Each structure stands twice: as C-alpha cells, then as structure tokens.
Amino acid sequence: MISLNVNGRHYDLDVPDEMPLLWALRDVAGLTGTKYGCGAGLCGACTVHVDGRPQRSCVMPVAAARGKTIATIEGLSPDRSHALQKAWIAEQVPQCGYCQSGQLMAAAALLARNANPSDDEIDAAMTNVCICGTYDGIRAAIHRAAVPTRKP
Amino acid sequence: MSAALSRSDFVKWTASFAGSFVLLAGRDGVLTPAKAQAAADFSPNAWLRIHPDDTISVFINRSEMGQGVMTGLPTLVAEELDVPLARMTVEVASPAPQYLYPGQREMSTGGSVSLRSSWKPLRQAGANARAMLVQAAAQRWSVDPVSLTTRDGKVVHAASNRSATYGSLAAAAAKLPLPSDVALKVPEQFALIGKRGTQRLDVPSKVDGSAHYGIDVKVPGMRYAAIARCPVFGGTVKRFDANQAKAIKGVLDAVQISRGVAVIADNTWAAFRGRDALVVEWDEGPRAGNESAAMFAEAERLARDPSRSTATTKRGDVSSLSGRSLDAIYYGPFLAHATLEPMNATAYVRDDSCEIWAPTQAQSRAQAAAMRITGLPAEKIVIHTTMLGGGFGRRLQSDYIEEAVELSKAIKAPVKVTWSRADDLQHDFYRPMIVDVMRGVLDAGGRIAGLSCAAYGDSGSEVADATYQIPNLLVTTVAADHGVPTGAWRAPNANWTAFVMESFLDELAHAAGQDPVAFRLAHLLPDSAAAACLKLAAQRANWGTARAGISQGVALGFWNGSTCATVADVALNGSMPKVRRVTAAVAVGIAVNPEIVVAQTRSGVNYGLSAALRSKITLKNGRVEQANFDTYPVMRIAEAPAIDVAIVPSDASPTGIGELGVPAIAPAVSNAIFAATGKRIRRLPFSDAQDA
Ligand code: FES
Ligand code: FES
C-alpha cells in the first residue's frame, strides 16, 4: 500500500513500488487528466508537479513519490481559474487536446519560477510534444498569463 | 430529415437506444449518459433535441480530433435556430441510418468533408426546427407567424411584447407536422457563420483534464490488455509461453487472438509488462526480408519500367517534345501518424449486444467489423465515440477496435486494449513510401511544354491536378507490392505529390531563369483560387525582399477543393533548415469559423513540417526500426515557426481545412533551401540530406 498526497487529497493505493506514477494516477487513483504518450520521458503528456517541480510521471516509480506533494491537471485549479487556464481559453489553444494537460503543467511550473519568460526561455522549458502543432497558441498563451516585469 | 425514417420511428429508435454518450463528460471520468429522450422534448430530426429546460442537444456524425467539428457543426444549427452556441451540448451519434446525410454511405471522418457535407443538412435542420417553434408560438398567441422573430433561443412577438423560450414551446412544436421548403439565411443574415470570437465548445474540457479520450475509458468490470503482434507484417503466432507473464502481479491471463497474443491484466502497466514477458514464436511469413534501401531500389526499378506501369493521365504527347528538358527523381519515406494518444479501444461483447468505446474516425467500418466478429446485427452494436487524441487518418482503420471486440468476446468481459508508443509506430497503416521519376520540357519562351511523372505507388495521381496549365502531361503508376500496410495520412497523396510537383516546378522555374512566384502565375488561370492565394501569400510575406540570412521558398497545395499558397522564410543551421516564419494564404469557401481555419492551417503546416524535418519509418529484417519519439523525432516548440494565415474572402459554400496546410510546407522549405544554397533536396526527411 502506498500513500500519496495528490491535489491536497490523501490516496492509499495498492500498487507495486515500481509502477510508474502515471499509471497509479490514471488506472488506480482514477485521475485520467494526466496522459500517456510515450512511457519514456520523451513527450511530456504525463507531466505533473512533484513538490512544485515538473515531473514526467511515466518515468517516476510511484514509490519515489511517497511523502511528496503531487499536483495533476485536476488540481491546477478547481474551476479553470488558473491564469494559464484562462489564457489557454482566451487563445483557444487546444486542438485534439491530448497534450494540453502536460503542456499546462509544464507551463505552470515555468511561470512559478520565472514570472515573465522570454521566447527563448519558453523554448527551453516547454519541450512537450504537440502533434497537432498548437505551438503558436501555447507561446501566446504563456505570454498572456505571464506577469510583465516592471522596469524600475 | 436525412433518411426515409419518420419522426416517430426516430423517437422509437432513440428511446430504445442506450447509446448516446456526452463527450463533454464530468471530470471524474464517469461516462455521463445523454439526457434521455423525454416526452416534452422536441426532436424534429435526428440532429437536434430541444429540451424543456432550454438546453439543446446536437448530434453530429463526425468525430472531434482537434479539427473543430464539435464547434463547427453545431454552429450551422445554431445559426439557423438563432440560439447561442454555448447553450448546446454536442454528442457524436452511434452509426445508424438517420445519421447519414443524403448520399453519404458510411459514418466516418476524413477527406476534410465534415463541414462541407453538413453545410446544407444541418442548417436546414436548424431552420426547420425554428419554423416549427415559430408556428407553435403563433398558435399559442393566435398571431400570424410572420409577425414573429427569433433570437437568443426565444420566439418574440414585438407588437405585444411577448416572448417564449424554445424549451417552453418544445412540447407544442413536437406535435406539429414537419415543414418543407423552409428558406435558409443568406450570408448577409449570418450572425455566427464567418464571424470571429466564437469559443470552441471542446476547449474548457481540454484545459482541466476532463476531456474524455478513448484511453480514459473505464467501465465496470473492465480488464486491461496489451497485445504482442508479429514484428513482421503479415506474420502469425506459432506458439507462445505465458508463464513468466502470468507471474507478474496484476496479470490475469494470456489469450491468443487473430492479431497476436493478448495479456489481460488489472491495470495498463501490468498488461504492458506482461506482454513484454511473453515468449512468442512467430511464423514471420514472406516479408521478413524487407529492408528499406533495397525496397527503394526495387521501387525505382519498377517505376522506370514502362512495361509494368499504367498511364493514369495522358494529355498530348510528352515524348515527342523537343526543347530544354530536366530529369529528377524524388524519394519519400513511409511515415507514421504518431497521434499523441496511441491506438486503444474498449469493447464489451455480450450474447445479445456489443458496446464499443473508441477514439475512431470510422464508426461504420468499426460497426461492420464488430458485426463480423460477433455475428450480431448492426442495431445491437453501439459505438461510443470518445474524444480523439489526434486522428490524421490513422483512426480510419478499425484494426485496433477489432482486437478489443475479439478479445472481449473471448474473455466474456469488458476489456480495454491500449497500445504502447512502440506498438503504435510499428503497427501503423503508413503514408506510403514513394519514388517519382520526373521529366519536364521547357519551350523556347520558358513555359512548361510538357511534364511526365512515373510513380511507384499512389503518388502520381495528383500531379495531374488540372490546376496548372500544362499542354502535355503523362502520369504513369506501378502498384506497390511491399506488404507494408499503408493508408490515409493527413492529406493523402497530396501530402507527397505537392513535394514532388512544387519542388520540380521550382527546378523548372530556375532552369527558365524565372521568379518562382511569377513562373507559377504564368501557368495558372488568372482568376483561379490558386492565383489568388499565391498573390496574397507573396504580398504578405514580402516575397522577394527577404532579410539577411533568410531565404524564401514558395509552394502551392491543393486538397479536395481547397487551396493553400505557402511561403517559408528559412535560415540554415548547417544544412538543416530553421523555419522562422510561414505565410499561408488559404481559399476554403466561406470560413465558417475563421479562428478554426487559422488554427487548422497552422496545425497542418506544423504537421507537414514536423514530418519533413526528421520523420521516417524504415524497415530492417521486415521490422520497423523506430520505436518511440527518440527514433521517430517530431517537432517541438523551439523549432516551430511563427505562422501567419490569411483567408481569401468568399461567400461560396465551405470546402475543408483539416488537411490543407500539410502539402505545401515541405516543398516551400525545400525551395527556400535551394534559394540559399543551390542544393536541391529530392529525398525527405531533410535530416537525411544532412547525413548525405
Ligand atoms: S508519457 Fe511520459 S513523457 Fe511521454
Ligand atoms: S493538441 Fe493534439 S497533441 Fe497537442
């Protein structure tokens, strides 16, 4: 039995230690917003936050998440009110939508450490795959949600 | 009404039907059933249902895979019905006769025809319903229907300052006869169609994780499965040993089905691990020697052998032409679709019914396959179409659904089959590998006198597109016989033909000493959509005035009645292109939702560019060599260009946009590379030229 703290809730999951966090979340905890795209840390569809940092959950054994604070797309806000969710809606970013949970979680982690990223910083941080090619929209939405740094 | 089905039949049919499924499902992942057909509902046709609480259900016969049908199709209904789009919930219907438009043979989503085919029937469905609601209000108030107007989901009698919501009129409207000859709005009356600012109905569920894809399906008692398939196409199972697989915690059983050996487990990860632990001995069949280099050599030999090929287009006589001639051979690889949601399907076969939950573009095909496997009649096979995490033509196949149906039948339980990324890349129906042998002849004035294309596989068919005015044309093809499954890949044929044709036109333009835009215009009818797009794109891209370090390339793309001119602004990083900016001008008839037209154009450009940069499927010992995004690289944000999209204004009926951006981007980039370096790329992907 593994105890996890996900989106502020406590879960007791009867899963083997080595099961990737992704599948524990999706199949056992029922949190299907986090997606499977490659299973090898290559696409970012499974991105969640572990202690506030972006983590590709397909390559993290569930046991390694014990005692840590996990956030998934379902916990980004209760009502789509996170600045990035609003920006994503304003820019109408998603197409098929399958990558977007991961994109939003990666972007949220980026903005948490860099309130106003440049294009180059976005390029470096946002390595998630979008097969539908919503990249223009993702870039615009991150800028929209960013807090402009005030010049002194 | 689409089919010869009366309304009472329809109501009976829907009432007996446990099928419909709300795609905008709740975030707990539980499937919410459609609002049951209630006595007070107003269902004037198969496409909409107005409920007494003023909500409206719209049923569509196309799948949402990002291209926007869940917004675009209800927009057509909402326009004529005069209701806000946001009041509608949208469901994809399970295949049944009343969900086919006149002349439509099967329910599927492909060819960029969703909006075009719905343009009349769905507007008519809305207009008829509106007429009946107006009639119901006229009777209630004893006034002349012509004195009534509609807006915001209400019938209004201005003279007496009365209004009634559609929901309040639903029961009365349901008793009226179906009208005929109800006039549709003319474009000047459109309030939604062609207007900016419409919010997509599927977007909210795609920013909070609640959108429900096939891979998210969970039904009570469901098992999870992964399947070992023969690594060589066409191979079969000789024998297998599942002892090690069954020792894995969570693995329940292993079962042979026609496509391989399935491992049944109580979660996806255990199924994957169990599948990896299977020991299977395969009869690999006759294709175990397939190897890419040899396949290309054989394809070229066949394409060059006139005794093997047949002419698909012949105009004039290319062989008799004298003048300056140019010869070139173009090579294209197999490509995977690489939808980010891998193939998956869930099925539950019972003695007297079969339910399927799947991200599918091909409901009728899946239903027919399930009929064959289960022996059940069509009306006993319900298809719940989930959201699709990308389609691009891959989900026009039913292979992945058939596996789930066969397996559920065998184990007598609901089962979800999930493909790993390797399964998905190695068992696709690929964009065909292609070899095109080209020859062009210029006349003394520098115009194309004749063109020939000897093609291996499907690739030549659209070189013959009549868009360019070329007096002598010969296209021959020889059928491919490599045993590798192939299928529709976003903008089938055109996705390759444009690369050959538009690169070769560029070669001819340079040989003739002409500007590539001017050269194309000289071969187009002046009032054609192609000429309009080309001029618009050239103007917006400041064609001919490229900045330092940037070169430009241009190409045209055609897809099923739509046209796109593309200019690529390219810098070079070694010999790899870095595409800075793309300008696309599209002609798609009226742009029902201009933002979706822009988004889909960008999507197509990026999809085509991603494939052209680094993607290829190769074979060795009959096996696909690529297994994940490390060996099958796709484009990420750092490489994605800024894309400017211009729409040629039009009031004509809409054509399609879901695939249009794909064809022209690879040749536009390649032509820009030539402009910078004088090096002509005739083999994709671009990363191969880098190796060479
Ligand atoms: S599924 Fe985890 S990175 Fe792709
Ligand atoms: S929106 Fe489809 S993969 Fe990103």
Side-chain angles (χ1 to χ4, degrees), chain B residues 501-528:
Chain B
M501 187 67 182
E502 293 292 317
S503 298
F504 195 59
L505 276 179
D506 211 67
E507 296 199 48
L508 290 165
H510 286 284
Q514 291 182 36
D515 171 78
V517 170
F519 184 75
R520 283 174 174 75
L521 285 173
H523 291 85
L524 292 169
L525 295 175
D527 58 354
S528 61

PDB file of all heavy atoms in Angstrom, chain B residues 501-528:
ATOM      1  N   MET B 501       5.790  17.860 -57.056  1.00  0.00           N
ATOM      2  CA  MET B 501       5.353  18.787 -58.104  1.00  0.00           C
ATOM      3  C   MET B 501       5.892  20.190 -57.861  1.00  0.00           C
ATOM      4  O   MET B 501       6.404  20.842 -58.775  1.00  0.00           O
ATOM      5  CB  MET B 501       3.815  18.794 -58.102  1.00  0.00           C
ATOM      6  CG  MET B 501       3.192  19.555 -59.208  1.00  0.00           C
ATOM      7  SD  MET B 501       3.519  18.759 -60.802  1.00  0.00           S
ATOM      8  CE  MET B 501       2.706  19.919 -61.882  1.00  0.00           C
ATOM      9  N   GLU B 502       5.803  20.655 -56.633  1.00  0.00           N
ATOM     10  CA  GLU B 502       6.180  22.034 -56.343  1.00  0.00           C
ATOM     11  C   GLU B 502       7.700  22.202 -56.264  1.00  0.00           C
ATOM     12  O   GLU B 502       8.217  23.285 -56.534  1.00  0.00           O
ATOM     13  CB  GLU B 502       5.504  22.494 -55.051  1.00  0.00           C
ATOM     14  CG  GLU B 502       3.980  22.593 -55.181  1.00  0.00           C
ATOM     15  CD  GLU B 502       3.549  23.710 -56.124  1.00  0.00           C
ATOM     16  OE1 GLU B 502       4.128  24.803 -56.053  1.00  0.00           O
ATOM     17  OE2 GLU B 502       2.631  23.484 -56.938  1.00  0.00           O
ATOM     18  N   SER B 503       8.407  21.132 -55.905  1.00  0.00           N
ATOM     19  CA  SER B 503       9.873  21.198 -55.978  1.00  0.00           C
ATOM     20  C   SER B 503      10.308  21.199 -57.433  1.00  0.00           C
ATOM     21  O   SER B 503      11.200  21.955 -57.836  1.00  0.00           O
ATOM     22  CB  SER B 503      10.507  19.994 -55.272  1.00  0.00           C
ATOM     23  OG  SER B 503      10.175  19.977 -53.912  1.00  0.00           O
ATOM     24  N   PHE B 504       9.671  20.330 -58.210  1.00  0.00           N
ATOM     25  CA  PHE B 504      10.084  20.209 -59.616  1.00  0.00           C
ATOM     26  C   PHE B 504       9.720  21.474 -60.411  1.00  0.00           C
ATOM     27  O   PHE B 504      10.489  21.919 -61.273  1.00  0.00           O
ATOM     28  CB  PHE B 504       9.450  18.962 -60.237  1.00  0.00           C
ATOM     29  CG  PHE B 504      10.085  18.547 -61.532  1.00  0.00           C
ATOM     30  CD1 PHE B 504      11.446  18.225 -61.598  1.00  0.00           C
ATOM     31  CD2 PHE B 504       9.350  18.496 -62.707  1.00  0.00           C
ATOM     32  CE1 PHE B 504      12.041  17.854 -62.796  1.00  0.00           C
ATOM     33  CE2 PHE B 504       9.937  18.124 -63.908  1.00  0.00           C
ATOM     34  CZ  PHE B 504      11.288  17.804 -63.956  1.00  0.00           C
ATOM     35  N   LEU B 505       8.572  22.067 -60.086  1.00  0.00           N
ATOM     36  CA  LEU B 505       8.229  23.352 -60.718  1.00  0.00           C
ATOM     37  C   LEU B 505       9.289  24.396 -60.404  1.00  0.00           C
ATOM     38  O   LEU B 505       9.648  25.216 -61.244  1.00  0.00           O
ATOM     39  CB  LEU B 505       6.878  23.862 -60.209  1.00  0.00           C
ATOM     40  CG  LEU B 505       5.620  23.325 -60.876  1.00  0.00           C
ATOM     41  CD1 LEU B 505       4.400  23.934 -60.195  1.00  0.00           C
ATOM     42  CD2 LEU B 505       5.611  23.669 -62.360  1.00  0.00           C
ATOM     43  N   ASP B 506       9.774  24.351 -59.182  1.00  0.00           N
ATOM     44  CA  ASP B 506      10.822  25.279 -58.776  1.00  0.00           C
ATOM     45  C   ASP B 506      12.097  25.024 -59.596  1.00  0.00           C
ATOM     46  O   ASP B 506      12.772  25.964 -60.027  1.00  0.00           O
ATOM     47  CB  ASP B 506      11.103  25.082 -57.283  1.00  0.00           C
ATOM     48  CG  ASP B 506      11.540  26.360 -56.601  1.00  0.00           C
ATOM     49  OD1 ASP B 506      10.707  27.277 -56.512  1.00  0.00           O
ATOM     50  OD2 ASP B 506      12.712  26.435 -56.184  1.00  0.00           O
ATOM     51  N   GLU B 507      12.405  23.755 -59.805  1.00  0.00           N
ATOM     52  CA  GLU B 507      13.558  23.415 -60.649  1.00  0.00           C
ATOM     53  C   GLU B 507      13.369  24.001 -62.047  1.00  0.00           C
ATOM     54  O   GLU B 507      14.292  24.568 -62.642  1.00  0.00           O
ATOM     55  CB  GLU B 507      13.733  21.890 -60.761  1.00  0.00           C
ATOM     56  CG  GLU B 507      14.046  21.203 -59.447  1.00  0.00           C
ATOM     57  CD  GLU B 507      14.666  19.820 -59.645  1.00  0.00           C
ATOM     58  OE1 GLU B 507      15.611  19.700 -60.446  1.00  0.00           O
ATOM     59  OE2 GLU B 507      14.196  18.865 -58.993  1.00  0.00           O
ATOM     60  N   LEU B 508      12.163  23.833 -62.576  1.00  0.00           N
ATOM     61  CA  LEU B 508      11.890  24.328 -63.930  1.00  0.00           C
ATOM     62  C   LEU B 508      11.933  25.853 -63.969  1.00  0.00           C
ATOM     63  O   LEU B 508      12.449  26.454 -64.926  1.00  0.00           O
ATOM     64  CB  LEU B 508      10.527  23.817 -64.418  1.00  0.00           C
ATOM     65  CG  LEU B 508      10.473  22.299 -64.706  1.00  0.00           C
ATOM     66  CD1 LEU B 508       9.022  21.829 -64.817  1.00  0.00           C
ATOM     67  CD2 LEU B 508      11.240  21.962 -65.989  1.00  0.00           C
ATOM     68  N   ALA B 509      11.422  26.498 -62.926  1.00  0.00           N
ATOM     69  CA  ALA B 509      11.449  27.964 -62.877  1.00  0.00           C
ATOM     70  C   ALA B 509      12.890  28.469 -62.913  1.00  0.00           C
ATOM     71  O   ALA B 509      13.228  29.391 -63.660  1.00  0.00           O
ATOM     72  CB  ALA B 509      10.742  28.466 -61.618  1.00  0.00           C
ATOM     73  N   HIS B 510      13.737  27.846 -62.094  1.00  0.00           N
ATOM     74  CA  HIS B 510      15.136  28.267 -62.078  1.00  0.00           C
ATOM     75  C   HIS B 510      15.804  27.983 -63.416  1.00  0.00           C
ATOM     76  O   HIS B 510      16.584  28.792 -63.914  1.00  0.00           O
ATOM     77  CB  HIS B 510      15.882  27.609 -60.916  1.00  0.00           C
ATOM     78  CG  HIS B 510      15.528  28.205 -59.594  1.00  0.00           C
ATOM     79  ND1 HIS B 510      16.018  29.427 -59.183  1.00  0.00           N
ATOM     80  CD2 HIS B 510      14.716  27.780 -58.604  1.00  0.00           C
ATOM     81  CE1 HIS B 510      15.520  29.723 -57.985  1.00  0.00           C
ATOM     82  NE2 HIS B 510      14.727  28.735 -57.613  1.00  0.00           N
ATOM     83  N   ALA B 511      15.468  26.817 -64.021  1.00  0.00           N
ATOM     84  CA  ALA B 511      16.043  26.489 -65.330  1.00  0.00           C
ATOM     85  C   ALA B 511      15.611  27.515 -66.378  1.00  0.00           C
ATOM     86  O   ALA B 511      16.367  27.844 -67.297  1.00  0.00           O
ATOM     87  CB  ALA B 511      15.613  25.081 -65.749  1.00  0.00           C
ATOM     88  N   ALA B 512      14.393  28.008 -66.219  1.00  0.00           N
ATOM     89  CA  ALA B 512      13.883  29.002 -67.165  1.00  0.00           C
ATOM     90  C   ALA B 512      14.323  30.417 -66.797  1.00  0.00           C
ATOM     91  O   ALA B 512      13.980  31.383 -67.488  1.00  0.00           O
ATOM     92  CB  ALA B 512      12.356  28.934 -67.215  1.00  0.00           C
ATOM     93  N   GLY B 513      15.035  30.536 -65.700  1.00  0.00           N
ATOM     94  CA  GLY B 513      15.511  31.844 -65.270  1.00  0.00           C
ATOM     95  C   GLY B 513      14.396  32.764 -64.790  1.00  0.00           C
ATOM     96  O   GLY B 513      14.482  33.981 -64.920  1.00  0.00           O
ATOM     97  N   GLN B 514      13.344  32.166 -64.234  1.00  0.00           N
ATOM     98  CA  GLN B 514      12.199  32.982 -63.804  1.00  0.00           C
ATOM     99  C   GLN B 514      11.998  32.925 -62.292  1.00  0.00           C
ATOM    100  O   GLN B 514      12.346  31.946 -61.636  1.00  0.00           O
ATOM    101  CB  GLN B 514      10.929  32.491 -64.509  1.00  0.00           C
ATOM    102  CG  GLN B 514      10.941  32.792 -65.994  1.00  0.00           C
ATOM    103  CD  GLN B 514       9.652  32.335 -66.655  1.00  0.00           C
ATOM    104  OE1 GLN B 514       8.585  32.427 -66.067  1.00  0.00           O
ATOM    105  NE2 GLN B 514       9.767  31.841 -67.880  1.00  0.00           N
ATOM    106  N   ASP B 515      11.372  33.954 -61.783  1.00  0.00           N
ATOM    107  CA  ASP B 515      10.993  34.014 -60.379  1.00  0.00           C
ATOM    108  C   ASP B 515       9.947  32.925 -60.106  1.00  0.00           C
ATOM    109  O   ASP B 515       8.991  32.772 -60.881  1.00  0.00           O
ATOM    110  CB  ASP B 515      10.403  35.402 -60.081  1.00  0.00           C
ATOM    111  CG  ASP B 515       9.786  35.450 -58.708  1.00  0.00           C
ATOM    112  OD1 ASP B 515      10.554  35.568 -57.734  1.00  0.00           O
ATOM    113  OD2 ASP B 515       8.540  35.332 -58.607  1.00  0.00           O
ATOM    114  N   PRO B 516      10.110  32.177 -59.018  1.00  0.00           N
ATOM    115  CA  PRO B 516       9.199  31.051 -58.771  1.00  0.00           C
ATOM    116  C   PRO B 516       7.720  31.454 -58.644  1.00  0.00           C
ATOM    117  O   PRO B 516       6.842  30.682 -59.018  1.00  0.00           O
ATOM    118  CB  PRO B 516       9.722  30.457 -57.462  1.00  0.00           C
ATOM    119  CG  PRO B 516      11.177  30.820 -57.439  1.00  0.00           C
ATOM    120  CD  PRO B 516      11.253  32.176 -58.096  1.00  0.00           C
ATOM    121  N   VAL B 517       7.431  32.622 -58.080  1.00  0.00           N
ATOM    122  CA  VAL B 517       6.028  33.051 -57.996  1.00  0.00           C
ATOM    123  C   VAL B 517       5.511  33.417 -59.393  1.00  0.00           C
ATOM    124  O   VAL B 517       4.441  32.960 -59.820  1.00  0.00           O
ATOM    125  CB  VAL B 517       5.861  34.242 -57.026  1.00  0.00           C
ATOM    126  CG1 VAL B 517       4.457  34.838 -57.141  1.00  0.00           C
ATOM    127  CG2 VAL B 517       6.135  33.797 -55.587  1.00  0.00           C
ATOM    128  N   ALA B 518       6.293  34.216 -60.110  1.00  0.00           N
ATOM    129  CA  ALA B 518       5.872  34.634 -61.456  1.00  0.00           C
ATOM    130  C   ALA B 518       5.715  33.427 -62.379  1.00  0.00           C
ATOM    131  O   ALA B 518       4.778  33.350 -63.187  1.00  0.00           O
ATOM    132  CB  ALA B 518       6.889  35.620 -62.042  1.00  0.00           C
ATOM    133  N   PHE B 519       6.631  32.466 -62.237  1.00  0.00           N
ATOM    134  CA  PHE B 519       6.598  31.267 -63.077  1.00  0.00           C
ATOM    135  C   PHE B 519       5.300  30.481 -62.826  1.00  0.00           C
ATOM    136  O   PHE B 519       4.619  30.047 -63.756  1.00  0.00           O
ATOM    137  CB  PHE B 519       7.809  30.390 -62.765  1.00  0.00           C
ATOM    138  CG  PHE B 519       7.944  29.166 -63.634  1.00  0.00           C
ATOM    139  CD1 PHE B 519       8.374  29.266 -64.951  1.00  0.00           C
ATOM    140  CD2 PHE B 519       7.662  27.893 -63.120  1.00  0.00           C
ATOM    141  CE1 PHE B 519       8.518  28.133 -65.746  1.00  0.00           C
ATOM    142  CE2 PHE B 519       7.812  26.762 -63.914  1.00  0.00           C
ATOM    143  CZ  PHE B 519       8.239  26.880 -65.223  1.00  0.00           C
ATOM    144  N   ARG B 520       4.929  30.343 -61.548  1.00  0.00           N
ATOM    145  CA  ARG B 520       3.684  29.625 -61.248  1.00  0.00           C
ATOM    146  C   ARG B 520       2.486  30.403 -61.788  1.00  0.00           C
ATOM    147  O   ARG B 520       1.582  29.824 -62.404  1.00  0.00           O
ATOM    148  CB  ARG B 520       3.541  29.413 -59.736  1.00  0.00           C
ATOM    149  CG  ARG B 520       4.411  28.283 -59.218  1.00  0.00           C
ATOM    150  CD  ARG B 520       4.357  28.192 -57.694  1.00  0.00           C
ATOM    151  NE  ARG B 520       5.091  27.024 -57.206  1.00  0.00           N
ATOM    152  CZ  ARG B 520       6.417  26.950 -57.166  1.00  0.00           C
ATOM    153  NH1 ARG B 520       7.165  27.965 -57.569  1.00  0.00           N
ATOM    154  NH2 ARG B 520       7.007  25.849 -56.701  1.00  0.00           N
ATOM    155  N   LEU B 521       2.468  31.704 -61.543  1.00  0.00           N
ATOM    156  CA  LEU B 521       1.326  32.507 -62.011  1.00  0.00           C
ATOM    157  C   LEU B 521       1.161  32.389 -63.522  1.00  0.00           C
ATOM    158  O   LEU B 521       0.041  32.380 -64.037  1.00  0.00           O
ATOM    159  CB  LEU B 521       1.505  33.978 -61.606  1.00  0.00           C
ATOM    160  CG  LEU B 521       1.243  34.279 -60.122  1.00  0.00           C
ATOM    161  CD1 LEU B 521       1.611  35.733 -59.796  1.00  0.00           C
ATOM    162  CD2 LEU B 521      -0.219  34.009 -59.747  1.00  0.00           C
ATOM    163  N   ALA B 522       2.292  32.271 -64.235  1.00  0.00           N
ATOM    164  CA  ALA B 522       2.224  32.173 -65.692  1.00  0.00           C
ATOM    165  C   ALA B 522       1.549  30.874 -66.140  1.00  0.00           C
ATOM    166  O   ALA B 522       1.094  30.767 -67.274  1.00  0.00           O
ATOM    167  CB  ALA B 522       3.634  32.258 -66.281  1.00  0.00           C
ATOM    168  N   HIS B 523       1.491  29.884 -65.231  1.00  0.00           N
ATOM    169  CA  HIS B 523       0.867  28.601 -65.576  1.00  0.00           C
ATOM    170  C   HIS B 523      -0.482  28.403 -64.896  1.00  0.00           C
ATOM    171  O   HIS B 523      -1.026  27.304 -64.889  1.00  0.00           O
ATOM    172  CB  HIS B 523       1.809  27.445 -65.209  1.00  0.00           C
ATOM    173  CG  HIS B 523       3.033  27.385 -66.071  1.00  0.00           C
ATOM    174  ND1 HIS B 523       4.160  28.129 -65.810  1.00  0.00           N
ATOM    175  CD2 HIS B 523       3.293  26.691 -67.204  1.00  0.00           C
ATOM    176  CE1 HIS B 523       5.079  27.894 -66.738  1.00  0.00           C
ATOM    177  NE2 HIS B 523       4.576  27.028 -67.594  1.00  0.00           N
ATOM    178  N   LEU B 524      -0.997  29.465 -64.282  1.00  0.00           N
ATOM    179  CA  LEU B 524      -2.304  29.371 -63.615  1.00  0.00           C
ATOM    180  C   LEU B 524      -3.311  30.263 -64.327  1.00  0.00           C
ATOM    181  O   LEU B 524      -2.947  31.306 -64.876  1.00  0.00           O
ATOM    182  CB  LEU B 524      -2.190  29.828 -62.157  1.00  0.00           C
ATOM    183  CG  LEU B 524      -1.373  28.930 -61.219  1.00  0.00           C
ATOM    184  CD1 LEU B 524      -1.122  29.652 -59.892  1.00  0.00           C
ATOM    185  CD2 LEU B 524      -2.090  27.606 -60.972  1.00  0.00           C
ATOM    186  N   LEU B 525      -4.572  29.862 -64.277  1.00  0.00           N
ATOM    187  CA  LEU B 525      -5.612  30.755 -64.795  1.00  0.00           C
ATOM    188  C   LEU B 525      -5.667  31.971 -63.884  1.00  0.00           C
ATOM    189  O   LEU B 525      -5.643  31.847 -62.662  1.00  0.00           O
ATOM    190  CB  LEU B 525      -6.963  30.035 -64.812  1.00  0.00           C
ATOM    191  CG  LEU B 525      -7.051  28.847 -65.767  1.00  0.00           C
ATOM    192  CD1 LEU B 525      -8.394  28.125 -65.619  1.00  0.00           C
ATOM    193  CD2 LEU B 525      -6.865  29.306 -67.223  1.00  0.00           C
ATOM    194  N   PRO B 526      -5.743  33.177 -64.487  1.00  0.00           N
ATOM    195  CA  PRO B 526      -5.620  34.397 -63.669  1.00  0.00           C
ATOM    196  C   PRO B 526      -6.707  34.535 -62.599  1.00  0.00           C
ATOM    197  O   PRO B 526      -6.470  35.121 -61.545  1.00  0.00           O
ATOM    198  CB  PRO B 526      -5.715  35.532 -64.690  1.00  0.00           C
ATOM    199  CG  PRO B 526      -5.912  34.912 -66.032  1.00  0.00           C
ATOM    200  CD  PRO B 526      -5.827  33.428 -65.921  1.00  0.00           C
ATOM    201  N   ASP B 527      -7.892  33.987 -62.854  1.00  0.00           N
ATOM    202  CA  ASP B 527      -8.958  34.142 -61.855  1.00  0.00           C
ATOM    203  C   ASP B 527      -9.110  32.906 -60.971  1.00  0.00           C
ATOM    204  O   ASP B 527     -10.120  32.732 -60.301  1.00  0.00           O
ATOM    205  CB  ASP B 527     -10.285  34.471 -62.546  1.00  0.00           C
ATOM    206  CG  ASP B 527     -10.664  33.390 -63.548  1.00  0.00           C
ATOM    207  OD1 ASP B 527      -9.837  32.467 -63.762  1.00  0.00           O
ATOM    208  OD2 ASP B 527     -11.776  33.452 -64.102  1.00  0.00           O
ATOM    209  N   SER B 528      -8.103  32.042 -60.964  1.00  0.00           N
ATOM    210  CA  SER B 528      -8.199  30.819 -60.151  1.00  0.00           C
ATOM    211  C   SER B 528      -7.936  31.118 -58.681  1.00  0.00           C
ATOM    212  O   SER B 528      -7.267  32.106 -58.331  1.00  0.00           O
ATOM    213  CB  SER B 528      -7.203  29.780 -60.653  1.00  0.00           C
ATOM    214  OG  SER B 528      -5.879  30.271 -60.544  1.00  0.00           O
TER     215      SER B 528
END
